[in-house]
Amino acid sequence: MYTTAPSIRKSIFLLLPDRVHSICRSVIYIVFLLFHFKTNAQFPIPESLNSAAQSLSVSVTPGGLDPNWTVAYGDSTGPKSIFVPAFVVDRCDGVWPAPAASNSKWIVYNFGDGCNHIGYGCIDLYFRRIITLPATNACNIPVETTYCLDMEFIADNCVYEVQINGVSNYHYTNPAYPYRYDGYQNKIPVKMCKGWKAGANTMMVHVKSCPSAAGLLAEAVYKPYINNSFLGQNIVLCDDQPILLTSPRDSTIWFDGTVSKTKIIKGEGVFWAKIKDDFNCEIIDSITVQYSFKSFVPNVFSPNGDGINDCLQPYLSSSEINDYELNIFNRSGAILFSSRNPQDCWDGRSRGKECDQGVYVYALSFKNGECSGRVIKGDVLLIR
């Protein structure tokens, strides 16, 4: 077979017009794009994650089965029955709100009478959805640290817990009466950023319900964002200690709208910052600052015998206090009251006599774990 030598082939290609070169490069680039998108999984379309979501290929109507959501019957420890396709309904109960999204509907476990479970007592249902994710986002950052999903859930009675691959992203905080919680009156927004991985992910929504109807309405409102940990680990401090946060970018946008490389934080809370990386991808990180110990000394009290604010006593959030000492001084520096017992309080007297109305000075010192050697000073106003 006749073949052209490599040097000859290269010469022939170089002799082609520039326009042909451009066409060749374009064809190669298009082929690359087609191959790239074909071989990389995509993030799901938000609407496809709704309960009973409709698409061009699947039409879900009441009385049918949800093609994506499955449900199992169980107890508070977990599902006990097999998972079956969720049953699609309109609104089994007149108090159930209509779906906000046009392509979503209520889904239930069909006990033989739609969503009604009269005679079964209080029940636990587990609604499951499999969500497939690519390994990285468009900026080649692993999905484990970049993907977040915002959803809104409504259930009758209670959305008890939402998990991603067994990792809890929401848990009902008043479990004393979980079955009495009127969840259908409350939309539960859940930001799910924990537990994701490349490939198939299991979202589990645990619902608690008492007679006579049980159902779930799930609607996605997500916006994926990058959540790299450029702010560092969460911080635990003693009270009244400011902390300086530092970002790798001078143009960092902070939670309060200011733009700078650093930010001084005073107080507890969750604080976020936003930067752009070298690929112009937006990265958002958050950090939690909390106090391991809290103390508070009132700045005014009125020892007038009315039973209200009659005694000055510091508030300490922990009972594990060592080397406690509280001293009260007058403006001349003389000690009017001193105690090493955290349960003692100053009643506005010194040596059995009532002190005059006015401003006095206190000094409080104690030790408590990480907050050892704490000394707090300030003024207190005595009102008669």
Side-chain angles (χ1 to χ4, degrees):
M1 179 180 292
Y2 175 81
T3 59
T4 305
S7 58
I8 299 176
R9 290 201 303 267
K10 183 176 180 182
S11 300
I12 293 174
F13 183 77
L14 291 175
L15 292 173
L16 293 174
D18 291 340
R19 183 177 180 183
V20 175
H21 288 180
S22 177
I23 293 174
C24 291
R25 287 194 297 268
S26 298
V27 170
I28 293 172
Y29 181 66
I30 291 173
V31 171
F32 167 77
L33 288 179
L34 291 175
F35 177 79
H36 175 77
F37 285 112
K38 183 177 180 181
T39 57
N40 287 273
Q42 301 298 304
F43 286 96
I45 299 172
E47 293 80 0
S48 68
L49 303 177
N50 295 351
S51 55
Q54 297 181 42
S55 67
L56 294 177
S57 59
V58 178
S59 178
V60 179
T61 58
L65 299 177
D66 192 314
N68 298 308
W69 285 83
T70 57
V71 59
Y73 178 91
D75 56 25
S76 59
T77 63
K80 300 301 180 182
S81 69
I82 64 172
F83 280 88
V84 297
F87 191 68
V88 181
V89 298
D90 275 328
R91 287 183 289 170
C92 270
D93 195 311
V95 298
W96 289 7
S102 59
N103 72 324
S104 64
K105 288 183 174 62
W106 284 83
I107 54 176
V108 303
Y109 185 98
N110 190 357
F111 288 89
D113 189 17
C115 58
N116 294 314
H117 59 95
I118 299 175
Y120 287 85
C122 295
I123 65 170
D124 291 75
L125 296 179
Y126 291 83
F127 291 88
R128 185 178 68 180
R129 175 66 195 264
I130 305 300
I131 300 174
T132 302
L133 298 179
T136 64
N137 68 355
C139 295
N140 204 35
I141 300 177
V143 69
E144 290 85 352
T145 59
T146 61
Y147 188 71
C148 281
L149 174 64
D150 288 344
M151 294 197 73
E152 293 178 342
F153 299 100
I154 308 176
D156 188 354
N157 296 31
C158 172
V159 178
Y160 192 70
E161 187 172 18
V162 180
Q163 295 183 350
I164 301 296
N165 296 322
V167 179
S168 182
N169 282 253
Y170 169 83
H171 199 286
Y172 179 48
T173 56
N174 184 18
Y177 300 103
Y179 293 105
R180 300 182 187 177
Y181 175 63
D182 294 328
Y184 59 82
Q185 297 176 355
N186 298 273
K187 183 179 292 184
I188 307 298
V190 181
K191 179 179 286 293
M192 291 167 280
C193 300
K194 298 182 295 183
W196 297 104
K197 63 181 182 180
N201 295 264
T202 301
M203 177 167 62
M204 190 81 75
V205 183
H206 180 185
V207 171
K208 287 178 174 283
S209 181
C210 270
S212 59
L216 174 70
L217 180 64
E219 296 179 322
V221 291
Y222 91 107
K223 179 182 179 183
Y225 65 85
I226 302 170
N227 192 24
N228 280 8
S229 301
F230 62 85
L231 292 179
Q233 300 296 317
N234 294 335
I235 300 173
V236 178
L237 299 171
C238 296
D239 59 346
D240 301 326
Q241 289 185 334
I243 182 70
L244 179 67
L245 300 181
T246 302
S247 166
R249 294 280 197 259
D250 293 331
S251 57
T252 300
I253 301 176
W254 296 92
F255 56 92
D256 58 359
T258 58
V259 179
S260 64
K261 186 179 180 67
T262 61
K263 189 70 178 178
I264 296 177
I265 300 298
K266 297 179 180 179
E268 291 182 302
V270 179
F271 307 94
W272 61 266
K274 180 169 60 177
I275 64 175
K276 288 190 176 181
D277 64 12
D278 296 335
F279 299 96
N280 204 36
C281 287
E282 186 175 88
I283 304 176
I284 297 178
D285 189 24
S286 63
I287 187 170
T288 299
V289 178
Q290 64 184 56
Y291 296 140
S292 62
F293 181 85
K294 295 181 181 180
S295 63
F296 171 73
V297 181
N299 58 10
V300 61
F301 77 117
S302 56
N304 54 13
D306 64 354
I308 302 175
N309 202 24
D310 283 336
C311 205
L312 178 69
Q313 183 178 28
Y315 166 79
L316 304 173
S317 64
S318 173
S319 60
E320 298 178 0
I321 301 298
N322 299 311
D323 297 337
Y324 175 91
E325 185 174 2
L326 174 64
N327 292 307
I328 307 294
F329 307 85
N330 61 19
R331 304 300 290 184
S332 301
I335 295 181
L336 305 178
F337 172 83
S338 181
S339 177
R340 293 183 176 274
N341 185 355
Q343 303 303 317
D344 289 344
C345 64
W346 183 41
D347 62 359
R349 295 173 178 269
S350 179
R351 297 181 181 180
K353 295 183 179 181
E354 292 185 349
C355 295
D356 295 333
Q357 177 171 300
V359 177
Y360 296 84
V361 178
Y362 68 84
L364 173 65
S365 62
F366 57 87
K367 292 181 180 180
N368 173 256
E370 295 181 6
C371 302
S372 61
R374 297 285 288 157
V375 178
I376 302 173
K377 298 180 180 180
D379 296 335
V380 58
L381 174 63
L382 188 157
I383 299 177
R384 292 290 181 188

